[in-house]
Amino acid sequence: MSGEGDHTRADLEVIKEMGTGLSNVKKAFDGLEKLGGKYGDDFGHGGLADKFEDFASSWEINRGKLAEDVDALAKIAKAAAKAYEEIDHALADAIRSAQGSDPAKKRK
């Protein structure tokens, strides 16, 4: 591949927003109330209440795992944005430095 349009480009704002958004999702998961043990009488049928308790128990376990995964992805996105930003600044500094040097002085 060649040409001007083939350069890899990362949208830092999108990556930063992704990290923030994923952190918000994790906070929402952490703030959800537990379902188990609360609604058994509301079902009116013991078998249905038992099935709901099974679901609630499984949901708690899997919600915890999902929250951990979302948190890990949020941290990765934030670290990636920071790394891209640092690289971008270093490249900009290198370009400014190279443009500031006089090529005629280098030839002498």
Side-chain angles (χ1 to χ4, degrees):
M1 293 177 141
S2 64
E4 189 77 13
D6 294 336
H7 296 286
T8 301
R9 184 170 179 240
D11 189 332
L12 294 178
E13 288 306 312
V14 170
I15 296 170
K16 287 178 189 177
E17 288 172 10
M18 183 181 4
T20 301
L22 289 169
S23 291
N24 291 338
V25 169
K26 190 209 183 270
K27 287 177 191 172
F29 274 170
D30 290 344
L32 293 174
E33 66 180 82
K34 294 187 183 291
L35 298 174
K38 293 182 128 185
Y39 303 103
D41 294 337
D42 296 334
F43 287 100
H45 183 276
L48 188 54
D50 289 343
K51 292 294 181 187
F52 182 79
E53 285 301 315
D54 290 344
F55 164 78
S57 175
S58 177
W59 170 241
E60 290 301 316
I61 293 167
N62 289 308
R63 185 181 76 188
K65 290 177 184 175
L66 185 56
E68 288 174 12
D69 290 346
V70 167
D71 189 45
L73 288 172
K75 289 175 181 175
I76 290 168
K78 289 175 182 179
K82 183 179 178 186
Y84 284 129
E85 200 166 50
E86 288 172 357
I87 290 168
D88 190 46
H89 289 298
L91 288 172
D93 289 344
I95 290 169
R96 277 191 291 275
S97 177
Q99 289 174 339
S101 62
D102 185 357
K105 289 181 182 178
K106 287 184 178 179
R107 283 187 233 133
K108 291 184 181 180

